[in-house]
Amino acid sequence: MIDSILSHIQEASKKGEKLLAILLDPDKTSLEEIPSISKKIETLKANFIFVGGSTVENGLTDTFVEILKKNTQIPVVLFPGDYSQVSNKADALLFLSLLSGRNPEYLIEQQIKAVPFLKNSTLEIIPTGYILIDGGTNSSVLKVSKTTPIPQNNINLAVTTAVAGMYKGKQLIYLEAGSGAKMVVNSNIISEVKKNISIPLIVGGGIRSKEQLTNAYENGADVVVIGTAFENNTFQNI
Ligand code: 1GP
């Protein structure tokens, strides 16, 4: 049992150990599938299960996490699209601020709305700077957040945004190409962001092959998140 998810990630990052998170969206995975899916995730030796989606039916996250926890020992980390997706039954919460966007709703409003749910909770709350990079699709996160992603060629903006997040006290930076992205976050962005921050880096969006996974790790991702390719059983050579 790991006491703190954040310390686990920080320690692994210091040692250069690479971590894998599988993302489950409660709107796309049925409750009946959870036992078999949990087994499959265990065979992949994933370090974390992230749970969340841009839009999830109210109350479903709580039931989903409850069943998940009964089926696996792998730590469950909430990756919520909005404040209603907070469940006290998970181990930790990525407390996200959408730093690439200029929509106050995702910079501070949603965070304020989450507080009543978090005040008496035992969840480990991890301040996370969330940065959208153009993945070549109009992903759900773009539609819901009504924000513009950072272009893949604007490495400087991606780096300065990540560093500003670190100065603001974020403990993790998450570079996101969007679920089902056509283009993954490019190697130069990952490596330049990594060089300029001293906090762990998460990368996700559109990763569907071993090569893309290895590439993200080699360029500096400490944690890689895979959702769609796992859901569709299309991940090549995991
Ligand atoms: C997590 O949204 C991503 O960062 C997951 O993206 O569904 O494309 O793997 P995929």
Side-chain angles (χ1 to χ4, degrees):
M1 190 61 197
I2 299 152
D3 291 336
S4 157
I5 307 282
L6 178 60
S7 344
H8 180 183
I9 299 174
Q10 289 168 332
E11 289 304 313
S13 172
K14 265 189 232 148
K15 291 188 223 150
E17 281 171 21
K18 301 302 181 181
L19 303 172
L20 175 67
I22 296 296
L23 172 65
L24 298 180
D25 181 340
D27 255 8
K28 293 186 190 151
T29 305
S30 73
L31 299 177
E32 292 71 31
E33 286 176 286
I34 293 178
S36 61
I37 281 193
S38 304
K39 283 205 190 76
K40 201 172 130 199
I41 297 176
E42 280 174 3
T43 61
L44 295 177
K45 299 198 167 43
N47 303 92
F48 309 107
I49 300 175
F50 284 6
V51 173
S54 293
T55 50
V56 175
E57 184 194 317
N58 219 341
L60 180 59
T61 304
D62 205 48
T63 315
F64 192 92
V65 172
E66 184 175 15
I67 300 175
L68 194 54
K69 289 296 292 176
K70 285 187 187 143
N71 280 278
T72 182
Q73 299 289 317
I74 300 176
V76 174
V77 179
L78 298 172
F79 173 54
D82 64 57
Y83 74 96
S84 72
Q85 295 176 36
V86 170
S87 164
N88 204 16
K89 299 182 176 113
D91 298 289
L93 163 73
L94 297 184
F95 199 66
L96 303 167
S97 302
L98 182 52
L99 302 179
S100 53
R102 299 295 175 266
N103 182 350
E105 185 63 32
Y106 293 93
L107 280 165
I108 187 61
E109 297 287 349
Q110 284 287 325
Q111 292 78 354
I112 290 172
K113 289 173 190 163
V115 169
F117 296 89
L118 296 175
K119 264 199 335 207
N120 301 314
S121 119
T122 51
L123 280 172
E124 179 187 350
I125 298 170
I126 308 176
T128 303
Y130 192 47
I131 299 175
L132 300 182
I133 307 293
D134 184 10
T137 48
N138 192 10
S139 63
S140 317
V141 61
L142 292 182
K143 283 184 226 154
V144 171
S145 69
K146 301 189 181 71
T147 64
T148 311
I150 295 178
Q152 292 269 2
N153 60 7
N154 200 339
I155 299 173
N156 186 47
L157 182 57
V159 170
T160 47
T161 305
V163 174
M166 178 176 73
Y167 291 161
K168 277 164 72 70
K170 306 302 176 201
Q171 298 296 313
L172 300 173
I173 293 295
Y174 192 141
L175 294 176
E176 169 74 276
S179 192
K182 281 195 202 129
M183 297 181 289
V184 296
V185 179
N186 84 46
S187 312
N188 294 334
I189 292 186
I190 301 176
S191 62
E192 286 305 312
V193 166
K194 182 64 183 174
K195 268 185 226 155
N196 284 279
I197 59 173
S198 54
I199 52 177
L201 180 62
I202 306 179
V203 175
I207 294 179
R208 42 179 77 80
S209 71
K210 183 86 180 175
E211 197 188 345
Q212 288 168 325
L213 177 70
T214 309
N215 192 52
Y217 285 146
E218 282 175 354
N219 282 288
D222 297 294
V223 182
V224 170
V225 186
I226 298 177
T228 308
F230 174 81
E231 265 164 33
N232 299 345
N233 250 320
T234 49
F235 193 89
Q236 294 153 19
N237 312 320
I238 200 166

